[in-house]
Amino acid sequence: MKLLIINGPNLNLLGLREPGIYGKGTLSDLEDFLRKVGEEEGVELSFFQSNHEGAIVDAIQAAYGAMDGIVINPAAYTHTSIAILDALKAVSLPAVEVHISQVSEREPFRQVSYAGMACLKTYMGLGFEGYRQAILCLKDHLAGKGAEA
Ligand code: CA2
C-alpha cells in the first residue's frame, strides 16, 4: 500500500515560526515521525511539499496509477483552491485532509475547505498525530474496513 503525503505552502517553515499554533516540530521531524508510522503499519509513504498550487496539482495527478491514497494538508490553499479540489476529484484516489491546528476555531476565512469536499475525512487540531490518524483511516478504507464515517 502506497500513500502520498502532501503538505502545502509555508509548511516547510514548521517549527521555525509560530510554534504556539503549529508546534515546535519541523517538517523533517514530521516526515521522520511518519516514516516510523509507515514502518509500523506496513505502509509505504512518499512525501511532497510545495509552496506552489500548480506543483501540488501536478503531484496529485502523478499519484494516479502510482499511489493508493493521498493524505493532504493543503495549508492556505485549503480555503481557496478549486484546482486542488478538481485534481483530487479527477484522480479519484481516496484522500484524507489534515490540519495541524484546530481550523474550526480560527478565522472565518478558514471555515471553507475546498479540498475537504473530495476527502473521506478531516483530522484537525491534533498536531502531527492527525497525519498518523489519516494514514490509519486510509489503511482501513483500502482494506475495506471503512472506519472513516
Ligand atoms: O492547521 C493547518 O495545518 C493549516 O493547514 C495551516 C495553514 C493554514 O493556512 C490553514 O488554515 C491551517 C498555514 C500553514 C503555515 O505554516 C506555517 C508554519 C510555521 C510558521 C508559519 C506558518
Side-chain angles (χ1 to χ4, degrees), residues 55-129:
I56 294 170
V57 169
D58 288 345
I60 293 167
Q61 289 186 12
Y64 182 74
M67 296 285 158
D68 300 303
I70 295 174
V71 173
I72 184 163
N73 181 347
Y77 289 141
T78 304
H79 318 298
T80 62
S81 181
I82 295 168
I84 290 174
L85 167 63
D86 283 348
L88 289 169
K89 283 184 167 176
V91 299
S92 200
L93 286 167
V96 174
E97 178 185 24
V98 177
H99 297 289
I100 293 168
S101 66
Q102 188 66 36
V103 178
S104 63
E105 293 175 4
R106 297 185 65 187
E107 302 93 328
F109 62 82
R110 296 187 202 274
Q111 302 312 313
V112 168
S113 170
Y114 290 105
M117 294 172 194
C119 290
L120 297 171
K121 188 160 180 167
T122 299
Y123 293 94
M124 62 170 75
L126 301 175
F128 288 4
E129 172 64 16

Side-chain angles (χ1 to χ4, degrees), residues 6-12 48-56 74-75 77:
I6 299 177
N7 279 300
N10 296 306
L11 288 166
N12 55 314
F48 181 79
Q49 189 277 329
S50 179
N51 295 328
H52 304 280
E53 184 176 20
I56 294 170
Y77 289 141

